[in-house]
């Protein structure tokens, strides 16, 4: 038994000395110290040892185990030291080399304008809601008082997926979905991407962004609409900004209006920005059409409301004094980093 134990110890120490990696050492440990290792097998033969010799043999096995473990720990420390030295040699930093510049991005001009706009309306108690970009014709047109034969549908002719499913032409379908729930009062802002079959030029794109607002409650009047837009204009463009309403027509509002603001560049005196008029057209709005309320399950005899739609790119271009909408989408870092 003693001779066998000495032989196992000798072979184990030789294997440890020959090991060149931590994984190799682990293999040696399993082979000699593991549950099915050589020392464990040797201990299983203790039943053949005389009872009076078993303590002595057990002590010899423990001494052998301790010796192997000690040698293994020393070998592991030596291997790790060599690995660390090699790694340090490879990772030497040449402090004379120029540093690597880290380019840090920032928000897109559109996103900056959107967050500024949302901040104003959230401060007035509005909730920001979003809806699907792929929409049903029913929500995009029918519930907004734009039937199949309506001229406005030709103006917004867009990208159809099927006869009844299309890429939305406005974010107004979100308003229809909110009104359908019947939860009152309603005070929501719905930003998002919309699609129309427009030719690409300085002021048009087949894909752009809108921010639409909707308020429905008892006793809502045009005065509430005017006060809301006046408040937004002053906080967004400056405290001296004034608004002007011009009669217009939208199928889903009655009465409807186009809204102009005094030029924030010249204060209404006339300049290149406002083409000498002193005013800039900014958005469309109106009182929600009674038919729209009724079709969405709201009694127009009890409730009234107003809606408005803001072209996000338009206010971004105006506020940042950009004269070509295409610049926002070209991903030219030289342009974008100015904002």
């Amino acid at each position: 038994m003693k001779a066998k134990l000495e032989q196992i110890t000798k072979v184990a120490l030789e294997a440890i000395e020959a090991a060149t990696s931590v994984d190799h050492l682990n293999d040696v440990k399993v082979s000699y110290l593991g549950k099915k290792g050589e020392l464990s097998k040797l201990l299983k033969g203790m039943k053949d040892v005389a009872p009076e010799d078993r303590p002595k043999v057990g002590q010899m096995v423990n001494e052998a185990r301790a010796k192997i473990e000690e040698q293994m720990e020393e070998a592991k420390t030596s291997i790790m030291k060599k690995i660390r030295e090699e790694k340090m040699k490879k990772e030497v930093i040449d402090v004379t080399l120029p540093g690597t510049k880290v380019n840090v991005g920032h928000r897109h001009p559109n996103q900056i304008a959107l967050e500024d706009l949302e901040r104003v309306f959230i401060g007035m108690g509005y909730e920001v809601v979003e809806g699907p970009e792929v929409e049903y014709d029913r929500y995009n047109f029918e519930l907004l008082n734009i039937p199949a034969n309506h001229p406005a549908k030709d103006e917004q002719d867009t990208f159809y997926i099927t006869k009844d499913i299309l890429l939305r032409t406005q974010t107004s379908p979100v308003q229809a979905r909110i009104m359908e729930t019947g939860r009152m009062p309603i005070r929501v802002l719905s930003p998002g991407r919309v699609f129309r079959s427009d030719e690409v030029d300085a002021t048009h794109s087949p894909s752009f962004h809108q921010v639409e607002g909707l308020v429905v409650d008892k006793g809502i009047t045009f005065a509430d609409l005017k006060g809301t837009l006046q408040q937004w204009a002053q906080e967004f463009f400056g405290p001296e900004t004034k608004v002007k309403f011009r009669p217009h027509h939208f199928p889903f509002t009655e009465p409807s209006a186009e809204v102009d603001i005094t030029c924030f560049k010249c204060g209404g005196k006339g300049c290149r920005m406002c083409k000498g008029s002193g005013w800039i057209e900014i958005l469309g709005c109106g009182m929600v059409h009674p038919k729209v309320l009724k079709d969405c399950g709201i009694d127009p005899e009890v409730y009234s409301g107003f809606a408005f739609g803001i072209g996000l790119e338009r206010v971004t271009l105006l506020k940042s004094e950009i004269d070509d909408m295409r610049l926002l989408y070209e991903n030219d870092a030289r342009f974008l980093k100015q904002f």
Side-chain angles (χ1 to χ4, degrees), residues 101-300:
K101 183 178 180 181
V102 178
N103 291 316
V104 180
H106 60 78
R107 295 172 300 160
H108 190 275
N110 258 3
Q111 186 65 28
I112 295 172
L114 176 60
E115 291 177 7
D116 289 345
L117 193 151
E118 287 181 345
R119 191 179 301 112
V120 176
F121 283 103
I122 289 172
M124 289 192 280
Y126 284 66
E127 177 187 1
V128 178
V129 296
E130 296 183 355
E133 294 180 0
V134 180
E135 187 58 275
Y136 288 104
D137 182 275
R138 175 172 177 267
Y139 288 103
N140 197 80
F141 292 121
E142 297 291 334
L143 290 180
L144 299 176
N145 200 26
I146 306 176
N149 59 352
H150 199 287
K153 197 166 185 179
D154 293 334
E155 293 175 8
Q156 296 188 20
D157 195 18
T158 184
F159 304 99
Y160 281 84
I161 296 171
T162 69
K163 181 178 178 295
D164 299 316
I165 300 175
L166 69 156
L167 299 182
R168 65 182 181 185
T169 63
Q170 53 206 354
T171 56
S172 302
V174 180
Q175 300 178 15
R177 288 176 177 272
I178 294 294
M179 286 190 284
E180 262 194 343
T181 65
R183 292 194 296 269
M184 295 293 171
I186 297 172
R187 191 180 287 111
V188 297
L189 195 71
S190 53
R193 185 165 57 168
V194 299
F195 307 86
R196 296 183 187 178
S197 55
D198 290 340
E199 295 291 335
V200 177
D201 59 30
T203 57
H204 295 85
S205 170
S207 176
F208 56 100
H209 298 78
Q210 277 190 344
V211 183
E212 300 201 15
L214 172 70
V215 172
V216 179
D217 200 355
K218 294 178 180 178
I220 298 297
T221 68
F222 203 95
D224 297 309
L225 170 60
K226 184 175 181 181
T228 297
L229 295 180
Q230 177 75 59
Q231 180 72 17
W232 166 70
Q234 290 178 343
E235 291 196 37
F236 193 80
F237 291 106
E240 304 301 322
T241 305
K242 298 178 181 179
V243 297
K244 178 175 70 174
F245 290 76
R246 291 179 288 104
H248 196 70
H249 169 73
F250 297 111
F252 34 84
T253 54
E254 180 62 38
S256 304
E258 290 275 14
V259 179
D260 300 336
I261 61 169
T262 48
C263 179
F264 51 85
K265 185 73 173 176
C266 66
K269 297 177 182 179
C271 66
R272 182 185 67 84
M273 177 70 70
C274 60
K275 298 179 181 178
S277 68
W279 295 90
I280 298 175
E281 181 183 324
I282 199 72
L283 59 89
C285 66
M287 300 300 292
V288 181
H289 199 294
K291 186 177 186 304
V292 174
L293 291 173
K294 187 176 181 180
D295 289 347
C296 291
I298 298 174
D299 187 350

Side-chain angles (χ1 to χ4, degrees), residues 25-45:
L25 280 177
N26 289 335
D27 292 340
V28 174
K29 184 176 182 179
V30 171
S31 298
Y32 292 93
L33 305 179
K35 290 183 179 180
K36 296 181 180 180
E38 295 297 328
L39 289 182
S40 296
K41 291 178 183 178
L42 191 64
L43 286 172
K44 289 179 182 178

Side-chain angles (χ1 to χ4, degrees), residues 61-106:
V61 171
N62 288 335
E63 289 175 354
R65 178 185 294 275
K67 189 173 183 179
I68 292 172
E69 287 178 344
E70 182 183 356
Q71 192 70 23
M72 188 168 291
E73 192 61 35
E74 290 179 1
K76 183 178 180 180
T77 301
S78 177
I79 290 172
M80 292 301 294
K81 184 179 179 181
K82 290 179 181 179
I83 292 173
R84 186 164 55 252
E85 289 175 352
E86 288 296 321
K87 188 176 181 181
M88 292 296 288
K89 288 179 182 179
K90 293 178 181 178
E91 295 182 356
V92 170
I93 299 174
D94 186 349
V95 295
T96 65
L97 291 174
T100 302
K101 183 178 180 181
V102 178
N103 291 316
V104 180
H106 60 78

